[in-house]
Amino acid sequence: MAWLVTRKFDGAPIGCVDACIDAEMIALNFGYYFFVNSWGKGYATEGARACLEYAWNELNQDRIVAFTVPTNARSRNVMEKIGMQHDAANDFDHPMLPDWPEKRHVLYRIGRAAWEAGVAR
């Protein structure tokens, strides 16, 4: 499931957020992708929080994962802002990118209990 993200004041598209069940990790995985001119304005954090709300309330998920390359500090910051925790023991080489120099990915997780306890608000 993916959603186009638009600015409220003019309706211009600025990126998208998505959520899908990750069969490998048996959890919901979400992502966010924004045009460079939209970076640093809080849109990714707002979209990520909306994905979490959707996962808890509409999809009845118990845990959610997200991942990125270790050098993507902006994405890692968003995950941490919404209460996700880095699960270093489960960092992995992305199986779809065997020859890519940045195939190594860091894994973040959050469970419903942590969210409900207010960790990410």
Side-chain angles (χ1 to χ4, degrees):
M1 188 157 294
W3 298 271
L4 175 68
V5 179
T6 59
R7 284 191 306 237
K8 290 179 183 177
F9 69 88
D10 65 0
I14 57 172
C16 68
V17 294
D18 65 32
C20 64
I21 298 296
D22 189 311
E24 295 277 322
M25 295 174 211
I26 313 170
L28 184 89
N29 174 27
F30 74 89
Y32 34 86
Y33 317 92
F34 288 87
F35 300 134
V36 174
N37 63 353
S38 297
W39 290 4
K41 297 181 168 88
Y43 298 131
T45 302
E46 184 179 350
R49 281 192 180 114
C51 279
L52 289 181
E53 290 284 350
Y54 182 79
W56 306 139
N57 299 327
E58 303 298 323
L59 300 178
N60 199 31
Q61 295 295 300
D62 290 322
R63 63 186 174 145
I64 297 169
V65 298
F67 50 85
T68 190
V69 295
T71 57
N72 190 342
R74 288 180 176 273
S75 188
R76 294 180 77 168
N77 186 48
V78 168
M79 292 181 223
E80 291 167 7
K81 277 185 183 178
I82 64 170
M84 298 187 90
Q85 299 291 313
H86 179 205
D87 181 1
N90 286 298
D91 289 351
F92 63 98
D93 289 344
H94 200 294
M96 302 293 286
L97 307 168
D99 299 323
W100 192 42
E102 290 193 87
K103 64 184 174 185
R104 191 71 180 163
H105 281 62
V106 291
L107 181 70
Y108 281 74
R109 301 179 183 270
I110 189 169
R112 181 189 293 268
W115 175 262
E116 289 175 348
V119 169
R121 296 191 180 139

